[in-house]
Each structure stands twice: as C-alpha cells, then as structure tokens.
Amino acid sequence: MSDSPDKLERDVEASRGRLDRTLADLQARLNRPGIPRDFTDLRRSGRAANETIERIAAEVRINPVPALLIAAGFGLIVYEAFRTAAERRRLAVVHPGTAMAPTDRHLAENHPDRMHERLDDALEESFPGSDPVSVRITK
C-alpha cells in the first residue's frame, strides 16, 4: 500500500491510454462503410418484402380460385401430418397392466403352435421339393 503518487498517476495514465485505444477501435468498427450500407439494405429488403406481399394479395383478389386450391392443398398436407402423428401416438399407448406396447401376438397366424408349420412352408417355398438339389431339414 506504499505506492508512490507518481506510480499511481502513471498507472492511471496507462489505463486512460488503453481505454482511449479501445474506444478508437470500437469507433472505427462502427464507422465502417458497411454498416450504413447494411442498414440501407435491410430497409430496402423490408420494402421489397412488403411490395411482394401486396402483389400476392392483389393477385389473390384477381384470381381467388388458384389461391383457394393452394390453400386447400396445404390444409390437406397439414391435416395428414396431424392425423399421422395422432395415429402414431395412439399406437404407442401402452395397454394398462402391461409393460409393453401392443403386439401382433393375438393374430392367429402368429400363434406359437403354427410357427413350425409356417417355417416349413417358407423352407419349402425357398427350396421346393421338385428341385433336384433339395435340402430337407427335419425337426
């Protein structure tokens, strides 16, 4: 704490110098020719978007049928997306009392007793008995 007043004054002057350089750098960045041009381009693009919307609205007033057909098509796409999502949610619901989602085990063709019969049919279809190089797999 025994810093001399001269050293403290030098530190303050050095800090002021760094602060002046930082402010000058920031000012140089903000005064570039690109920033006003960017704001002008942004304003121009906003005007262009507004003009485009007005032009589309005028076309819809002149020819409402194509606009209605486009809107109907878009509506059907949105409807189908919501319907499909609802169907997926419905199928993903877990039945009460079970820890698994519903399966197709209740179907007759998926009964365990018919599994061997179906495997034999599939094997016969893959390797027909009339084939001279027939392979017979037994249980």
Side-chain angles (χ1 to χ4, degrees):
M1 272 319 235
S2 64
D3 287 338
S4 68
D6 292 335
K7 185 176 181 198
L8 289 175
E9 193 172 324
R10 283 192 303 265
D11 286 345
V12 169
E13 288 299 320
S15 295
R16 282 186 187 152
R18 286 193 305 271
L19 183 60
D20 286 341
R21 282 192 301 277
T22 302
L23 288 175
D25 289 344
L26 287 174
Q27 191 174 19
R29 287 181 188 173
L30 291 176
N31 286 334
R32 286 186 330 180
I35 291 179
R37 185 179 57 231
D38 290 345
F39 284 126
T40 304
D41 290 345
L42 183 62
R43 192 175 335 126
R44 194 176 304 131
S45 66
R47 272 191 243 130
N50 192 22
E51 290 170 3
T52 303
I53 290 171
E54 288 176 5
R55 191 173 66 241
I56 289 171
E59 288 294 325
V60 168
R61 280 187 219 107
I62 293 170
N63 284 329
V65 174
L68 288 174
L69 291 174
I70 291 170
F74 182 71
L76 287 174
I77 290 171
V78 170
Y79 168 76
E80 182 64 23
F82 279 114
R83 192 184 66 76
T84 304
E87 182 70 16
R88 282 192 200 124
R89 281 193 306 272
R90 186 185 67 78
L91 291 175
V93 171
V94 176
H95 290 293
T98 63
M100 295 175 44
T103 62
D104 58 357
R105 290 182 184 209
H106 66 282
L107 299 175
E109 60 267 14
N110 293 333
H111 196 271
D113 296 338
R114 293 213 45 218
M115 182 176 66
H116 296 295
E117 179 186 333
R118 294 186 67 213
L119 285 173
D120 289 341
D121 290 343
L123 184 64
E124 182 63 32
E125 186 177 312
S126 299
F127 303 102
S130 62
D131 188 1
V133 190
S134 178
V135 177
R136 186 79 177 152
I137 298 177
T138 59
K139 299 177 198 172

